[in-house]
mmCIF file of all heavy atoms in Angstrom:
data_model
loop_
_atom_site.group_PDB
_atom_site.id
_atom_site.type_symbol
_atom_site.label_atom_id
_atom_site.label_comp_id
_atom_site.label_asym_id
_atom_site.label_seq_id
_atom_site.Cartn_x
_atom_site.Cartn_y
_atom_site.Cartn_z
ATOM 1 N N MET A 1193 -22.877 52.892 -64.900
ATOM 2 C CA MET A 1193 -24.285 52.491 -64.769
ATOM 3 C C MET A 1193 -24.650 52.342 -63.302
ATOM 4 O O MET A 1193 -23.841 51.926 -62.480
ATOM 5 C CB MET A 1193 -24.530 51.163 -65.495
ATOM 6 C CG MET A 1193 -24.405 51.247 -67.012
ATOM 7 S SD MET A 1193 -24.654 49.636 -67.763
ATOM 8 C CE MET A 1193 -26.344 49.331 -67.308
ATOM 9 N N LYS A 1194 -25.889 52.646 -62.979
ATOM 10 C CA LYS A 1194 -26.335 52.534 -61.593
ATOM 11 C C LYS A 1194 -26.252 51.101 -61.093
ATOM 12 O O LYS A 1194 -25.885 50.846 -59.957
ATOM 13 C CB LYS A 1194 -27.765 53.050 -61.474
ATOM 14 C CG LYS A 1194 -27.887 54.552 -61.622
ATOM 15 C CD LYS A 1194 -27.268 55.269 -60.444
ATOM 16 C CE LYS A 1194 -27.490 56.772 -60.544
ATOM 17 N NZ LYS A 1194 -26.854 57.485 -59.412
ATOM 18 N N ASN A 1195 -26.651 50.149 -61.973
ATOM 19 C CA ASN A 1195 -26.645 48.767 -61.513
ATOM 20 C C ASN A 1195 -25.233 48.272 -61.253
ATOM 21 O O ASN A 1195 -25.023 47.345 -60.480
ATOM 22 C CB ASN A 1195 -27.345 47.865 -62.531
ATOM 23 C CG ASN A 1195 -26.589 47.799 -63.855
ATOM 24 O OD1 ASN A 1195 -26.258 48.822 -64.420
ATOM 25 N ND2 ASN A 1195 -26.339 46.599 -64.320
ATOM 26 N N LYS A 1196 -24.237 48.892 -61.901
ATOM 27 C CA LYS A 1196 -22.852 48.494 -61.666
ATOM 28 C C LYS A 1196 -22.408 48.881 -60.263
ATOM 29 O O LYS A 1196 -21.621 48.187 -59.624
ATOM 30 C CB LYS A 1196 -21.955 49.159 -62.713
ATOM 31 C CG LYS A 1196 -20.512 48.700 -62.656
ATOM 32 C CD LYS A 1196 -19.724 49.281 -63.803
ATOM 33 C CE LYS A 1196 -18.265 48.794 -63.746
ATOM 34 N NZ LYS A 1196 -17.473 49.336 -64.861
ATOM 35 N N GLU A 1197 -22.924 49.999 -59.776
ATOM 36 C CA GLU A 1197 -22.520 50.481 -58.452
ATOM 37 C C GLU A 1197 -23.379 49.906 -57.340
ATOM 38 O O GLU A 1197 -22.887 49.583 -56.257
ATOM 39 C CB GLU A 1197 -22.574 52.005 -58.430
ATOM 40 C CG GLU A 1197 -22.059 52.612 -57.127
ATOM 41 C CD GLU A 1197 -22.056 54.124 -57.170
ATOM 42 O OE1 GLU A 1197 -22.353 54.702 -58.231
ATOM 43 O OE2 GLU A 1197 -21.765 54.721 -56.103
ATOM 44 N N TYR A 1198 -24.663 49.778 -57.607
ATOM 45 C CA TYR A 1198 -25.583 49.381 -56.545
ATOM 46 C C TYR A 1198 -26.262 48.034 -56.791
ATOM 47 O O TYR A 1198 -27.135 47.635 -56.027
ATOM 48 C CB TYR A 1198 -26.667 50.456 -56.366
ATOM 49 C CG TYR A 1198 -26.121 51.795 -55.983
ATOM 50 C CD1 TYR A 1198 -26.142 52.857 -56.882
ATOM 51 C CD2 TYR A 1198 -25.574 51.996 -54.723
ATOM 52 C CE1 TYR A 1198 -25.639 54.098 -56.528
ATOM 53 C CE2 TYR A 1198 -25.068 53.238 -54.358
ATOM 54 C CZ TYR A 1198 -25.095 54.281 -55.269
ATOM 55 O OH TYR A 1198 -24.592 55.504 -54.907
ATOM 56 N N GLY A 1199 -25.874 47.342 -57.852
ATOM 57 C CA GLY A 1199 -26.528 46.076 -58.176
ATOM 58 C C GLY A 1199 -26.420 45.058 -57.058
ATOM 59 O O GLY A 1199 -27.388 44.384 -56.718
ATOM 60 N N GLY A 1200 -25.218 44.960 -56.450
ATOM 61 C CA GLY A 1200 -25.026 43.997 -55.363
ATOM 62 C C GLY A 1200 -25.911 44.287 -54.173
ATOM 63 O O GLY A 1200 -26.465 43.382 -53.546
ATOM 64 N N VAL A 1201 -26.057 45.570 -53.852
ATOM 65 C CA VAL A 1201 -26.917 45.969 -52.738
ATOM 66 C C VAL A 1201 -28.365 45.587 -53.019
ATOM 67 O O VAL A 1201 -29.066 45.035 -52.162
ATOM 68 C CB VAL A 1201 -26.797 47.483 -52.480
ATOM 69 C CG1 VAL A 1201 -27.742 47.905 -51.358
ATOM 70 C CG2 VAL A 1201 -25.370 47.857 -52.137
ATOM 71 N N ALA A 1202 -28.820 45.886 -54.258
ATOM 72 C CA ALA A 1202 -30.205 45.581 -54.624
ATOM 73 C C ALA A 1202 -30.473 44.089 -54.586
ATOM 74 O O ALA A 1202 -31.526 43.638 -54.112
ATOM 75 C CB ALA A 1202 -30.510 46.147 -56.017
ATOM 76 N N VAL A 1203 -29.520 43.299 -55.078
ATOM 77 C CA VAL A 1203 -29.687 41.836 -55.071
ATOM 78 C C VAL A 1203 -29.792 41.315 -53.642
ATOM 79 O O VAL A 1203 -30.637 40.468 -53.329
ATOM 80 C CB VAL A 1203 -28.523 41.165 -55.821
ATOM 81 C CG1 VAL A 1203 -28.537 39.655 -55.584
ATOM 82 C CG2 VAL A 1203 -28.606 41.462 -57.313
ATOM 83 N N ASN A 1290 -19.300 46.417 -53.595
ATOM 84 C CA ASN A 1290 -20.702 46.154 -53.928
ATOM 85 C C ASN A 1290 -20.852 44.991 -54.897
ATOM 86 O O ASN A 1290 -21.805 44.233 -54.826
ATOM 87 C CB ASN A 1290 -21.333 47.411 -54.528
ATOM 88 C CG ASN A 1290 -21.634 48.461 -53.467
ATOM 89 O OD1 ASN A 1290 -21.718 48.139 -52.283
ATOM 90 N ND2 ASN A 1290 -21.772 49.702 -53.884
ATOM 91 N N GLN A 1468 -22.208 41.827 -64.705
ATOM 92 C CA GLN A 1468 -21.950 41.824 -63.270
ATOM 93 C C GLN A 1468 -23.236 41.539 -62.484
ATOM 94 O O GLN A 1468 -23.240 40.740 -61.541
ATOM 95 C CB GLN A 1468 -21.383 43.185 -62.870
ATOM 96 C CG GLN A 1468 -20.967 43.285 -61.414
ATOM 97 C CD GLN A 1468 -20.432 44.672 -61.116
ATOM 98 O OE1 GLN A 1468 -20.908 45.360 -60.216
ATOM 99 N NE2 GLN A 1468 -19.437 45.107 -61.890
ATOM 100 N N LEU A 1469 -24.324 42.184 -62.893
ATOM 101 C CA LEU A 1469 -25.604 41.970 -62.223
ATOM 102 C C LEU A 1469 -26.060 40.524 -62.377
ATOM 103 O O LEU A 1469 -26.600 39.934 -61.429
ATOM 104 C CB LEU A 1469 -26.655 42.920 -62.790
ATOM 105 C CG LEU A 1469 -28.053 42.850 -62.164
ATOM 106 C CD1 LEU A 1469 -27.992 43.192 -60.683
ATOM 107 C CD2 LEU A 1469 -29.014 43.797 -62.890
ATOM 108 N N GLN A 1472 -24.190 38.388 -59.953
ATOM 109 C CA GLN A 1472 -24.684 38.632 -58.590
ATOM 110 C C GLN A 1472 -25.994 37.886 -58.340
ATOM 111 O O GLN A 1472 -26.207 37.309 -57.264
ATOM 112 C CB GLN A 1472 -24.867 40.134 -58.369
ATOM 113 C CG GLN A 1472 -23.565 40.908 -58.335
ATOM 114 C CD GLN A 1472 -23.770 42.396 -58.442
ATOM 115 O OE1 GLN A 1472 -24.865 42.864 -58.789
ATOM 116 N NE2 GLN A 1472 -22.729 43.181 -58.163
#
Side-chain angles (χ1 to χ4, degrees):
M1193 292 178 64
K1194 289 291 184 182
N1195 65 309
K1196 186 174 181 180
E1197 185 177 355
Y1198 299 110
V1201 177
V1203 169
N1290 285 340
Q1468 184 181 124
L1469 182 61
Q1472 292 167 347

